[in-house]
Amino acid sequence: MPTQSPRRRSPLDGPRRPSINVILTSVVVVLALVVFGAILLFGGDDDNGTTAAAPSETLVPEDAHTLSEADPDGPQVTLVEFLDYQCSACAAYYRNITSKIEKDYAGRITFVPRNFPLDIHPLAPLAARAAEAAGKQDKFAEMYTKLYQNWTDWAVQGESLRSDPKEAARQFERYAREIGLDVAQFRADIEAADVSKKVQRDMADGEKLGVEATPTFFINGKRFEPSGETFADVERQLRAELDKALG
C-alpha cells in the first residue's frame, strides 16, 4: 500500500513502515519498482486522519495556486495535495495518478497543491521556492509540471538523492527559460523573503492538519485515506471519492 515520505529522520511512533533509507533506496534504484511494486499508504495508522472537515482557510488560503478550477456554476469540489517535489512517492503519484486527475477533472474540481518539503530531502525547499517564484509570473502550473516531469534529472543521481543547491538552481533556471519566465526576476524571486514565507506557511498549515508524510490529500476538507495496494487501486478509489463529491 502506498508509502509516503516521513516528515523527520527519526522513526514515527509505532511499526508504521520500513526505514526511510530502505524506502529511498528501493524506489530510487529502479523507478519501475515505484510504479509497479511500491507499497503506498496515505497516512498509515496516523491518529490525526479523522473524518472531520478541516478549516477551509487552512486548506486553501486566498493566494493558493490551483492546477484546475471548478466551474463556479457546478459542484464545488476541492482536492488539496500536500507534496514534496523531491519525494519519490510524490513523483510516482504524479506519473501514475495526479497528472491524470488534473487532466480528466479539469474544470470540474479545484486542485490545489500545497508545499510540504521534508527534512530528509535536501533540494525540496529550493524546488518549492522555484514553483512559488514561477507563480509570481503566473507560471506556477508550468513549473510544477517541469519539476515532476524532469524529476530524475534534478532530484536523484543513481541510487542517491541529489543535494547540490547550485546545480539544482541552474536546472530550475533552465526550466524557467523553457516556460517563458523572466529569468532574472525568477532568480531574485526564488530567494525572496515572501516566497520563503509562503512555503513556511504551507508547512505550518500542513502540520496543523496533522500532515506528517507526503503526499497527503484532502477532498473537501476530509483526508483521503485509501486502502489500495497499487497505483491503479488508489486511482480508482480517488476517482470514486471525487465522483461521489461531484454528485
Side-chain angles (χ1 to χ4, degrees):
M1 289 179 279
T3 67
Q4 303 170 304
S5 297
R7 179 76 180 93
R8 299 178 178 84
R9 288 183 181 275
S10 59
L12 298 174
D13 293 339
R16 295 182 57 162
R17 50 180 68 84
S19 72
I20 187 60
N21 290 333
V22 173
I23 295 173
L24 286 175
T25 300
S26 65
V27 296
V28 172
V29 171
V30 183
L31 291 177
L33 292 178
V34 178
V35 177
F36 299 109
I39 296 178
L40 297 140
L41 177 63
F42 289 64
D45 54 359
D46 184 359
D47 291 336
N48 290 312
T50 66
T51 58
S56 59
E57 66 274 11
T58 303
L59 272 171
V60 186
E62 290 185 1
D63 60 349
H65 299 293
T66 59
L67 300 174
S68 171
E69 288 279 358
D71 184 338
D73 295 326
Q76 298 304 297
V77 177
T78 301
L79 173 65
V80 175
E81 177 187 7
F82 283 88
L83 59 84
D84 171 321
Y85 290 103
Q86 200 176 14
C87 164
S88 57
C90 293
Y93 271 91
Y94 173 82
R95 289 192 303 273
N96 293 279
I97 300 175
T98 57
S99 61
K100 293 185 285 184
I101 294 293
E102 178 187 350
K103 177 182 177 181
D104 294 346
Y105 286 83
R108 300 172 62 200
I109 68 170
T110 299
F111 186 3
V112 182
R114 302 288 305 275
N115 298 295
F116 203 77
L118 305 175
D119 296 339
I120 57 172
H121 297 146
L123 298 179
L126 180 62
R129 298 203 311 272
E132 293 296 334
K136 295 188 74 171
Q137 298 186 53
D138 298 322
K139 294 282 188 176
F140 172 85
E142 290 84 350
M143 182 60 76
Y144 162 95
T145 300
K146 281 286 186 182
L147 290 170
Y148 276 138
Q149 288 185 344
N150 295 279
W151 186 80
T152 56
D153 294 332
W154 68 267
V156 292
Q157 184 172 30
E159 300 179 10
S160 304
L161 290 172
R162 291 183 185 269
S163 59
D164 184 346
K166 291 183 179 179
E167 180 184 355
R170 287 193 292 270
Q171 289 273 51
F172 298 161
E173 287 183 14
R174 177 167 65 85
Y175 303 155
R177 283 191 293 273
E178 290 173 356
I179 63 177
L181 295 184
D182 179 325
V183 177
Q185 181 182 337
F186 172 79
R187 189 180 296 123
D189 287 340
I190 202 172
E191 300 297 336
D194 62 331
V195 166
S196 293
K197 287 179 180 178
K198 189 171 182 182
V199 173
Q200 293 165 4
R201 189 272 314 278
D202 280 4
M203 294 174 65
D205 285 351
E207 289 173 353
K208 289 177 185 176
L209 295 165
V211 175
E212 292 183 334
T214 57
T216 294
F217 294 87
F218 294 84
I219 300 174
N220 282 352
K222 295 183 180 180
R223 184 179 292 200
F224 170 65
E225 298 186 276
S227 57
E229 295 188 356
T230 68
F231 287 107
D233 289 340
V234 173
E235 182 183 0
R236 280 193 293 270
Q237 292 170 348
L238 179 56
R239 287 177 183 268
E241 289 297 322
L242 291 173
D243 291 343
K244 179 180 178 181
L246 286 166

PDB file of all heavy atoms in Angstrom, residues 98-134:
ATOM      1  N   THR A  98      -1.937  11.685 -10.220  1.00  0.00           N
ATOM      2  CA  THR A  98      -2.392  13.072 -10.166  1.00  0.00           C
ATOM      3  C   THR A  98      -2.319  13.799 -11.501  1.00  0.00           C
ATOM      4  O   THR A  98      -3.148  14.679 -11.772  1.00  0.00           O
ATOM      5  CB  THR A  98      -1.628  13.873  -9.093  1.00  0.00           C
ATOM      6  OG1 THR A  98      -0.224  13.798  -9.354  1.00  0.00           O
ATOM      7  CG2 THR A  98      -1.930  13.337  -7.707  1.00  0.00           C
ATOM      8  N   SER A  99      -1.361  13.442 -12.358  1.00  0.00           N
ATOM      9  CA  SER A  99      -1.324  14.089 -13.675  1.00  0.00           C
ATOM     10  C   SER A  99      -2.570  13.740 -14.477  1.00  0.00           C
ATOM     11  O   SER A  99      -3.080  14.575 -15.248  1.00  0.00           O
ATOM     12  CB  SER A  99      -0.060  13.691 -14.441  1.00  0.00           C
ATOM     13  OG  SER A  99      -0.010  12.285 -14.652  1.00  0.00           O
ATOM     14  N   LYS A 100      -3.083  12.523 -14.294  1.00  0.00           N
ATOM     15  CA  LYS A 100      -4.315  12.121 -14.986  1.00  0.00           C
ATOM     16  C   LYS A 100      -5.540  12.770 -14.353  1.00  0.00           C
ATOM     17  O   LYS A 100      -6.470  13.183 -15.059  1.00  0.00           O
ATOM     18  CB  LYS A 100      -4.431  10.590 -14.980  1.00  0.00           C
ATOM     19  CG  LYS A 100      -3.366   9.906 -15.821  1.00  0.00           C
ATOM     20  CD  LYS A 100      -3.587   8.411 -15.901  1.00  0.00           C
ATOM     21  CE  LYS A 100      -3.215   7.700 -14.630  1.00  0.00           C
ATOM     22  NZ  LYS A 100      -3.348   6.225 -14.753  1.00  0.00           N
ATOM     23  N   ILE A 101      -5.537  12.864 -13.022  1.00  0.00           N
ATOM     24  CA  ILE A 101      -6.648  13.532 -12.337  1.00  0.00           C
ATOM     25  C   ILE A 101      -6.728  14.991 -12.772  1.00  0.00           C
ATOM     26  O   ILE A 101      -7.814  15.524 -13.061  1.00  0.00           O
ATOM     27  CB  ILE A 101      -6.481  13.435 -10.808  1.00  0.00           C
ATOM     28  CG1 ILE A 101      -6.594  11.975 -10.343  1.00  0.00           C
ATOM     29  CG2 ILE A 101      -7.486  14.328 -10.088  1.00  0.00           C
ATOM     30  CD1 ILE A 101      -7.959  11.364 -10.522  1.00  0.00           C
ATOM     31  N   GLU A 102      -5.578  15.641 -12.829  1.00  0.00           N
ATOM     32  CA  GLU A 102      -5.528  17.045 -13.241  1.00  0.00           C
ATOM     33  C   GLU A 102      -6.160  17.229 -14.616  1.00  0.00           C
ATOM     34  O   GLU A 102      -6.929  18.184 -14.845  1.00  0.00           O
ATOM     35  CB  GLU A 102      -4.072  17.517 -13.253  1.00  0.00           C
ATOM     36  CG  GLU A 102      -3.872  18.940 -13.716  1.00  0.00           C
ATOM     37  CD  GLU A 102      -2.401  19.297 -13.876  1.00  0.00           C
ATOM     38  OE1 GLU A 102      -1.523  18.521 -13.451  1.00  0.00           O
ATOM     39  OE2 GLU A 102      -2.138  20.363 -14.469  1.00  0.00           O
ATOM     40  N   LYS A 103      -5.855  16.339 -15.537  1.00  0.00           N
ATOM     41  CA  LYS A 103      -6.386  16.436 -16.903  1.00  0.00           C
ATOM     42  C   LYS A 103      -7.859  16.051 -16.971  1.00  0.00           C
ATOM     43  O   LYS A 103      -8.683  16.780 -17.536  1.00  0.00           O
ATOM     44  CB  LYS A 103      -5.564  15.535 -17.831  1.00  0.00           C
ATOM     45  CG  LYS A 103      -6.066  15.505 -19.263  1.00  0.00           C
ATOM     46  CD  LYS A 103      -5.227  14.559 -20.107  1.00  0.00           C
ATOM     47  CE  LYS A 103      -5.770  14.477 -21.539  1.00  0.00           C
ATOM     48  NZ  LYS A 103      -4.970  13.529 -22.375  1.00  0.00           N
ATOM     49  N   ASP A 104      -8.206  14.918 -16.370  1.00  0.00           N
ATOM     50  CA  ASP A 104      -9.559  14.377 -16.532  1.00  0.00           C
ATOM     51  C   ASP A 104     -10.621  15.160 -15.769  1.00  0.00           C
ATOM     52  O   ASP A 104     -11.795  15.140 -16.153  1.00  0.00           O
ATOM     53  CB  ASP A 104      -9.595  12.906 -16.097  1.00  0.00           C
ATOM     54  CG  ASP A 104      -8.761  12.005 -16.995  1.00  0.00           C
ATOM     55  OD1 ASP A 104      -8.369  12.458 -18.091  1.00  0.00           O
ATOM     56  OD2 ASP A 104      -8.487  10.857 -16.608  1.00  0.00           O
ATOM     57  N   TYR A 105     -10.210  15.839 -14.682  1.00  0.00           N
ATOM     58  CA  TYR A 105     -11.178  16.587 -13.885  1.00  0.00           C
ATOM     59  C   TYR A 105     -11.038  18.098 -14.051  1.00  0.00           C
ATOM     60  O   TYR A 105     -11.592  18.862 -13.264  1.00  0.00           O
ATOM     61  CB  TYR A 105     -11.046  16.203 -12.407  1.00  0.00           C
ATOM     62  CG  TYR A 105     -11.602  14.830 -12.095  1.00  0.00           C
ATOM     63  CD1 TYR A 105     -10.844  13.691 -12.306  1.00  0.00           C
ATOM     64  CD2 TYR A 105     -12.901  14.677 -11.599  1.00  0.00           C
ATOM     65  CE1 TYR A 105     -11.355  12.421 -12.034  1.00  0.00           C
ATOM     66  CE2 TYR A 105     -13.413  13.418 -11.317  1.00  0.00           C
ATOM     67  CZ  TYR A 105     -12.636  12.294 -11.539  1.00  0.00           C
ATOM     68  OH  TYR A 105     -13.142  11.038 -11.269  1.00  0.00           O
ATOM     69  N   ALA A 106     -10.316  18.511 -15.079  1.00  0.00           N
ATOM     70  CA  ALA A 106     -10.148  19.949 -15.339  1.00  0.00           C
ATOM     71  C   ALA A 106     -11.505  20.605 -15.522  1.00  0.00           C
ATOM     72  O   ALA A 106     -12.362  20.114 -16.258  1.00  0.00           O
ATOM     73  CB  ALA A 106      -9.296  20.166 -16.581  1.00  0.00           C
ATOM     74  N   GLY A 107     -11.722  21.708 -14.815  1.00  0.00           N
ATOM     75  CA  GLY A 107     -12.990  22.422 -14.900  1.00  0.00           C
ATOM     76  C   GLY A 107     -14.091  21.843 -14.034  1.00  0.00           C
ATOM     77  O   GLY A 107     -15.155  22.448 -13.898  1.00  0.00           O
ATOM     78  N   ARG A 108     -13.822  20.676 -13.426  1.00  0.00           N
ATOM     79  CA  ARG A 108     -14.836  20.035 -12.589  1.00  0.00           C
ATOM     80  C   ARG A 108     -14.479  20.122 -11.105  1.00  0.00           C
ATOM     81  O   ARG A 108     -15.355  20.150 -10.251  1.00  0.00           O
ATOM     82  CB  ARG A 108     -15.001  18.566 -12.994  1.00  0.00           C
ATOM     83  CG  ARG A 108     -15.427  18.394 -14.447  1.00  0.00           C
ATOM     84  CD  ARG A 108     -15.379  16.943 -14.854  1.00  0.00           C
ATOM     85  NE  ARG A 108     -16.307  16.141 -14.055  1.00  0.00           N
ATOM     86  CZ  ARG A 108     -16.207  14.820 -13.916  1.00  0.00           C
ATOM     87  NH1 ARG A 108     -15.217  14.155 -14.495  1.00  0.00           N
ATOM     88  NH2 ARG A 108     -17.094  14.167 -13.189  1.00  0.00           N
ATOM     89  N   ILE A 109     -13.178  20.113 -10.805  1.00  0.00           N
ATOM     90  CA  ILE A 109     -12.729  20.240  -9.422  1.00  0.00           C
ATOM     91  C   ILE A 109     -11.690  21.349  -9.337  1.00  0.00           C
ATOM     92  O   ILE A 109     -11.092  21.733 -10.346  1.00  0.00           O
ATOM     93  CB  ILE A 109     -12.118  18.937  -8.873  1.00  0.00           C
ATOM     94  CG1 ILE A 109     -10.790  18.618  -9.591  1.00  0.00           C
ATOM     95  CG2 ILE A 109     -13.097  17.771  -8.993  1.00  0.00           C
ATOM     96  CD1 ILE A 109      -9.993  17.475  -8.958  1.00  0.00           C
ATOM     97  N   THR A 110     -11.482  21.853  -8.148  1.00  0.00           N
ATOM     98  CA  THR A 110     -10.379  22.766  -7.874  1.00  0.00           C
ATOM     99  C   THR A 110      -9.266  21.940  -7.237  1.00  0.00           C
ATOM    100  O   THR A 110      -9.445  21.360  -6.166  1.00  0.00           O
ATOM    101  CB  THR A 110     -10.809  23.902  -6.932  1.00  0.00           C
ATOM    102  OG1 THR A 110     -11.857  24.643  -7.566  1.00  0.00           O
ATOM    103  CG2 THR A 110      -9.654  24.829  -6.633  1.00  0.00           C
ATOM    104  N   PHE A 111      -8.129  21.867  -7.931  1.00  0.00           N
ATOM    105  CA  PHE A 111      -6.999  21.047  -7.493  1.00  0.00           C
ATOM    106  C   PHE A 111      -5.916  21.988  -6.978  1.00  0.00           C
ATOM    107  O   PHE A 111      -5.372  22.792  -7.714  1.00  0.00           O
ATOM    108  CB  PHE A 111      -6.499  20.206  -8.656  1.00  0.00           C
ATOM    109  CG  PHE A 111      -5.419  19.203  -8.316  1.00  0.00           C
ATOM    110  CD1 PHE A 111      -4.968  19.015  -7.012  1.00  0.00           C
ATOM    111  CD2 PHE A 111      -4.859  18.432  -9.311  1.00  0.00           C
ATOM    112  CE1 PHE A 111      -3.981  18.094  -6.706  1.00  0.00           C
ATOM    113  CE2 PHE A 111      -3.875  17.497  -9.027  1.00  0.00           C
ATOM    114  CZ  PHE A 111      -3.434  17.331  -7.726  1.00  0.00           C
ATOM    115  N   VAL A 112      -5.620  21.885  -5.683  1.00  0.00           N
ATOM    116  CA  VAL A 112      -4.715  22.822  -5.016  1.00  0.00           C
ATOM    117  C   VAL A 112      -3.488  22.096  -4.472  1.00  0.00           C
ATOM    118  O   VAL A 112      -3.595  21.301  -3.536  1.00  0.00           O
ATOM    119  CB  VAL A 112      -5.427  23.536  -3.848  1.00  0.00           C
ATOM    120  CG1 VAL A 112      -4.491  24.558  -3.189  1.00  0.00           C
ATOM    121  CG2 VAL A 112      -6.707  24.213  -4.318  1.00  0.00           C
ATOM    122  N   PRO A 113      -2.297  22.332  -5.029  1.00  0.00           N
ATOM    123  CA  PRO A 113      -1.071  21.775  -4.459  1.00  0.00           C
ATOM    124  C   PRO A 113      -0.531  22.689  -3.364  1.00  0.00           C
ATOM    125  O   PRO A 113      -0.506  23.909  -3.532  1.00  0.00           O
ATOM    126  CB  PRO A 113      -0.121  21.703  -5.653  1.00  0.00           C
ATOM    127  CG  PRO A 113      -0.587  22.794  -6.567  1.00  0.00           C
ATOM    128  CD  PRO A 113      -2.051  23.012  -6.308  1.00  0.00           C
ATOM    129  N   ARG A 114      -0.111  22.094  -2.257  1.00  0.00           N
ATOM    130  CA  ARG A 114       0.483  22.856  -1.147  1.00  0.00           C
ATOM    131  C   ARG A 114       1.871  22.309  -0.866  1.00  0.00           C
ATOM    132  O   ARG A 114       2.122  21.101  -0.984  1.00  0.00           O
ATOM    133  CB  ARG A 114      -0.370  22.739   0.122  1.00  0.00           C
ATOM    134  CG  ARG A 114      -1.814  23.205  -0.001  1.00  0.00           C
ATOM    135  CD  ARG A 114      -1.960  24.705  -0.107  1.00  0.00           C
ATOM    136  NE  ARG A 114      -1.324  25.449   0.974  1.00  0.00           N
ATOM    137  CZ  ARG A 114      -1.890  25.707   2.154  1.00  0.00           C
ATOM    138  NH1 ARG A 114      -3.104  25.237   2.426  1.00  0.00           N
ATOM    139  NH2 ARG A 114      -1.251  26.418   3.056  1.00  0.00           N
ATOM    140  N   ASN A 115       2.772  23.174  -0.454  1.00  0.00           N
ATOM    141  CA  ASN A 115       4.164  22.784  -0.195  1.00  0.00           C
ATOM    142  C   ASN A 115       4.317  22.115   1.165  1.00  0.00           C
ATOM    143  O   ASN A 115       3.809  22.616   2.171  1.00  0.00           O
ATOM    144  CB  ASN A 115       5.068  24.022  -0.233  1.00  0.00           C
ATOM    145  CG  ASN A 115       5.065  24.699  -1.586  1.00  0.00           C
ATOM    146  OD1 ASN A 115       5.507  24.136  -2.581  1.00  0.00           O
ATOM    147  ND2 ASN A 115       4.556  25.928  -1.635  1.00  0.00           N
ATOM    148  N   PHE A 116       5.056  21.004   1.174  1.00  0.00           N
ATOM    149  CA  PHE A 116       5.406  20.364   2.434  1.00  0.00           C
ATOM    150  C   PHE A 116       6.768  19.675   2.272  1.00  0.00           C
ATOM    151  O   PHE A 116       6.888  18.451   2.341  1.00  0.00           O
ATOM    152  CB  PHE A 116       4.331  19.352   2.843  1.00  0.00           C
ATOM    153  CG  PHE A 116       4.307  19.058   4.322  1.00  0.00           C
ATOM    154  CD1 PHE A 116       3.744  19.961   5.214  1.00  0.00           C
ATOM    155  CD2 PHE A 116       4.847  17.886   4.827  1.00  0.00           C
ATOM    156  CE1 PHE A 116       3.714  19.699   6.576  1.00  0.00           C
ATOM    157  CE2 PHE A 116       4.830  17.610   6.178  1.00  0.00           C
ATOM    158  CZ  PHE A 116       4.265  18.513   7.057  1.00  0.00           C
ATOM    159  N   PRO A 117       7.835  20.464   2.017  1.00  0.00           N
ATOM    160  CA  PRO A 117       9.167  19.876   1.826  1.00  0.00           C
ATOM    161  C   PRO A 117       9.651  19.187   3.094  1.00  0.00           C
ATOM    162  O   PRO A 117       9.562  19.750   4.184  1.00  0.00           O
ATOM    163  CB  PRO A 117      10.037  21.082   1.462  1.00  0.00           C
ATOM    164  CG  PRO A 117       9.311  22.271   2.014  1.00  0.00           C
ATOM    165  CD  PRO A 117       7.857  21.937   1.914  1.00  0.00           C
ATOM    166  N   LEU A 118      10.158  17.987   2.931  1.00  0.00           N
ATOM    167  CA  LEU A 118      10.563  17.168   4.066  1.00  0.00           C
ATOM    168  C   LEU A 118      12.030  17.391   4.427  1.00  0.00           C
ATOM    169  O   LEU A 118      12.867  17.663   3.562  1.00  0.00           O
ATOM    170  CB  LEU A 118      10.333  15.692   3.754  1.00  0.00           C
ATOM    171  CG  LEU A 118       8.913  15.317   3.326  1.00  0.00           C
ATOM    172  CD1 LEU A 118       8.857  13.856   2.920  1.00  0.00           C
ATOM    173  CD2 LEU A 118       7.925  15.619   4.432  1.00  0.00           C
ATOM    174  N   ASP A 119      12.325  17.216   5.690  1.00  0.00           N
ATOM    175  CA  ASP A 119      13.688  17.402   6.183  1.00  0.00           C
ATOM    176  C   ASP A 119      14.684  16.482   5.483  1.00  0.00           C
ATOM    177  O   ASP A 119      15.852  16.823   5.338  1.00  0.00           O
ATOM    178  CB  ASP A 119      13.750  17.134   7.686  1.00  0.00           C
ATOM    179  CG  ASP A 119      12.924  18.117   8.484  1.00  0.00           C
ATOM    180  OD1 ASP A 119      12.628  19.213   7.965  1.00  0.00           O
ATOM    181  OD2 ASP A 119      12.556  17.786   9.627  1.00  0.00           O
ATOM    182  N   ILE A 120      14.241  15.308   5.078  1.00  0.00           N
ATOM    183  CA  ILE A 120      15.151  14.307   4.505  1.00  0.00           C
ATOM    184  C   ILE A 120      15.482  14.567   3.042  1.00  0.00           C
ATOM    185  O   ILE A 120      16.310  13.857   2.469  1.00  0.00           O
ATOM    186  CB  ILE A 120      14.547  12.896   4.637  1.00  0.00           C
ATOM    187  CG1 ILE A 120      13.183  12.849   3.972  1.00  0.00           C
ATOM    188  CG2 ILE A 120      14.459  12.477   6.093  1.00  0.00           C
ATOM    189  CD1 ILE A 120      12.590  11.461   3.884  1.00  0.00           C
ATOM    190  N   HIS A 121      14.848  15.559   2.426  1.00  0.00           N
ATOM    191  CA  HIS A 121      15.073  15.843   1.014  1.00  0.00           C
ATOM    192  C   HIS A 121      15.764  17.197   0.873  1.00  0.00           C
ATOM    193  O   HIS A 121      15.116  18.244   0.982  1.00  0.00           O
ATOM    194  CB  HIS A 121      13.749  15.824   0.260  1.00  0.00           C
ATOM    195  CG  HIS A 121      13.073  14.496   0.275  1.00  0.00           C
ATOM    196  ND1 HIS A 121      11.696  14.352   0.309  1.00  0.00           N
ATOM    197  CD2 HIS A 121      13.589  13.246   0.278  1.00  0.00           C
ATOM    198  CE1 HIS A 121      11.399  13.061   0.323  1.00  0.00           C
ATOM    199  NE2 HIS A 121      12.526  12.375   0.306  1.00  0.00           N
ATOM    200  N   PRO A 122      17.074  17.193   0.619  1.00  0.00           N
ATOM    201  CA  PRO A 122      17.849  18.436   0.688  1.00  0.00           C
ATOM    202  C   PRO A 122      17.456  19.502  -0.327  1.00  0.00           C
ATOM    203  O   PRO A 122      17.632  20.692  -0.068  1.00  0.00           O
ATOM    204  CB  PRO A 122      19.293  17.970   0.461  1.00  0.00           C
ATOM    205  CG  PRO A 122      19.175  16.631  -0.200  1.00  0.00           C
ATOM    206  CD  PRO A 122      17.934  16.022   0.347  1.00  0.00           C
ATOM    207  N   LEU A 123      16.918  19.109  -1.488  1.00  0.00           N
ATOM    208  CA  LEU A 123      16.570  20.092  -2.516  1.00  0.00           C
ATOM    209  C   LEU A 123      15.086  20.440  -2.527  1.00  0.00           C
ATOM    210  O   LEU A 123      14.644  21.278  -3.327  1.00  0.00           O
ATOM    211  CB  LEU A 123      16.981  19.572  -3.902  1.00  0.00           C
ATOM    212  CG  LEU A 123      18.474  19.324  -4.100  1.00  0.00           C
ATOM    213  CD1 LEU A 123      18.738  18.801  -5.502  1.00  0.00           C
ATOM    214  CD2 LEU A 123      19.296  20.577  -3.830  1.00  0.00           C
ATOM    215  N   ALA A 124      14.306  19.810  -1.656  1.00  0.00           N
ATOM    216  CA  ALA A 124      12.863  20.043  -1.661  1.00  0.00           C
ATOM    217  C   ALA A 124      12.481  21.493  -1.361  1.00  0.00           C
ATOM    218  O   ALA A 124      11.603  22.047  -2.035  1.00  0.00           O
ATOM    219  CB  ALA A 124      12.175  19.092  -0.682  1.00  0.00           C
ATOM    220  N   PRO A 125      13.098  22.152  -0.366  1.00  0.00           N
ATOM    221  CA  PRO A 125      12.733  23.553  -0.120  1.00  0.00           C
ATOM    222  C   PRO A 125      13.037  24.457  -1.313  1.00  0.00           C
ATOM    223  O   PRO A 125      12.239  25.351  -1.644  1.00  0.00           O
ATOM    224  CB  PRO A 125      13.572  23.928   1.101  1.00  0.00           C
ATOM    225  CG  PRO A 125      13.854  22.626   1.786  1.00  0.00           C
ATOM    226  CD  PRO A 125      14.034  21.643   0.663  1.00  0.00           C
ATOM    227  N   LEU A 126      14.177  24.229  -1.977  1.00  0.00           N
ATOM    228  CA  LEU A 126      14.539  25.032  -3.147  1.00  0.00           C
ATOM    229  C   LEU A 126      13.540  24.801  -4.279  1.00  0.00           C
ATOM    230  O   LEU A 126      13.122  25.750  -4.966  1.00  0.00           O
ATOM    231  CB  LEU A 126      15.954  24.695  -3.601  1.00  0.00           C
ATOM    232  CG  LEU A 126      16.480  25.456  -4.822  1.00  0.00           C
ATOM    233  CD1 LEU A 126      16.541  26.958  -4.542  1.00  0.00           C
ATOM    234  CD2 LEU A 126      17.858  24.935  -5.228  1.00  0.00           C
ATOM    235  N   ALA A 127      13.137  23.558  -4.484  1.00  0.00           N
ATOM    236  CA  ALA A 127      12.170  23.248  -5.535  1.00  0.00           C
ATOM    237  C   ALA A 127      10.823  23.908  -5.240  1.00  0.00           C
ATOM    238  O   ALA A 127      10.159  24.426  -6.149  1.00  0.00           O
ATOM    239  CB  ALA A 127      12.009  21.738  -5.678  1.00  0.00           C
ATOM    240  N   ALA A 128      10.426  23.893  -3.974  1.00  0.00           N
ATOM    241  CA  ALA A 128       9.172  24.554  -3.594  1.00  0.00           C
ATOM    242  C   ALA A 128       9.253  26.049  -3.887  1.00  0.00           C
ATOM    243  O   ALA A 128       8.295  26.651  -4.409  1.00  0.00           O
ATOM    244  CB  ALA A 128       8.873  24.315  -2.119  1.00  0.00           C
ATOM    245  N   ARG A 129      10.379  26.661  -3.582  1.00  0.00           N
ATOM    246  CA  ARG A 129      10.542  28.093  -3.856  1.00  0.00           C
ATOM    247  C   ARG A 129      10.569  28.363  -5.357  1.00  0.00           C
ATOM    248  O   ARG A 129      10.091  29.401  -5.820  1.00  0.00           O
ATOM    249  CB  ARG A 129      11.801  28.634  -3.182  1.00  0.00           C
ATOM    250  CG  ARG A 129      11.795  28.529  -1.660  1.00  0.00           C
ATOM    251  CD  ARG A 129      12.734  29.519  -1.004  1.00  0.00           C
ATOM    252  NE  ARG A 129      14.070  29.525  -1.574  1.00  0.00           N
ATOM    253  CZ  ARG A 129      15.073  28.740  -1.179  1.00  0.00           C
ATOM    254  NH1 ARG A 129      14.873  27.830  -0.212  1.00  0.00           N
ATOM    255  NH2 ARG A 129      16.268  28.839  -1.733  1.00  0.00           N
ATOM    256  N   ALA A 130      11.126  27.427  -6.127  1.00  0.00           N
ATOM    257  CA  ALA A 130      11.146  27.589  -7.584  1.00  0.00           C
ATOM    258  C   ALA A 130       9.724  27.626  -8.135  1.00  0.00           C
ATOM    259  O   ALA A 130       9.394  28.454  -8.992  1.00  0.00           O
ATOM    260  CB  ALA A 130      11.944  26.461  -8.235  1.00  0.00           C
ATOM    261  N   ALA A 131       8.875  26.725  -7.648  1.00  0.00           N
ATOM    262  CA  ALA A 131       7.482  26.712  -8.099  1.00  0.00           C
ATOM    263  C   ALA A 131       6.764  27.995  -7.695  1.00  0.00           C
ATOM    264  O   ALA A 131       6.019  28.582  -8.493  1.00  0.00           O
ATOM    265  CB  ALA A 131       6.767  25.489  -7.535  1.00  0.00           C
ATOM    266  N   GLU A 132       7.001  28.432  -6.454  1.00  0.00           N
ATOM    267  CA  GLU A 132       6.358  29.658  -5.990  1.00  0.00           C
ATOM    268  C   GLU A 132       6.889  30.884  -6.745  1.00  0.00           C
ATOM    269  O   GLU A 132       6.132  31.815  -7.047  1.00  0.00           O
ATOM    270  CB  GLU A 132       6.565  29.830  -4.489  1.00  0.00           C
ATOM    271  CG  GLU A 132       5.853  28.798  -3.635  1.00  0.00           C
ATOM    272  CD  GLU A 132       4.349  28.874  -3.762  1.00  0.00           C
ATOM    273  OE1 GLU A 132       3.822  29.959  -4.092  1.00  0.00           O
ATOM    274  OE2 GLU A 132       3.694  27.843  -3.544  1.00  0.00           O
ATOM    275  N   ALA A 133       8.188  30.903  -7.044  1.00  0.00           N
ATOM    276  CA  ALA A 133       8.759  32.015  -7.806  1.00  0.00           C
ATOM    277  C   ALA A 133       8.153  32.069  -9.204  1.00  0.00           C
ATOM    278  O   ALA A 133       7.841  33.155  -9.716  1.00  0.00           O
ATOM    279  CB  ALA A 133      10.275  31.878  -7.887  1.00  0.00           C
ATOM    280  N   ALA A 134       7.956  30.915  -9.826  1.00  0.00           N
ATOM    281  CA  ALA A 134       7.305  30.878 -11.137  1.00  0.00           C
ATOM    282  C   ALA A 134       5.870  31.378 -11.024  1.00  0.00           C
ATOM    283  O   ALA A 134       5.355  32.036 -11.939  1.00  0.00           O
ATOM    284  CB  ALA A 134       7.336  29.457 -11.696  1.00  0.00           C
TER     285      ALA A 134
END
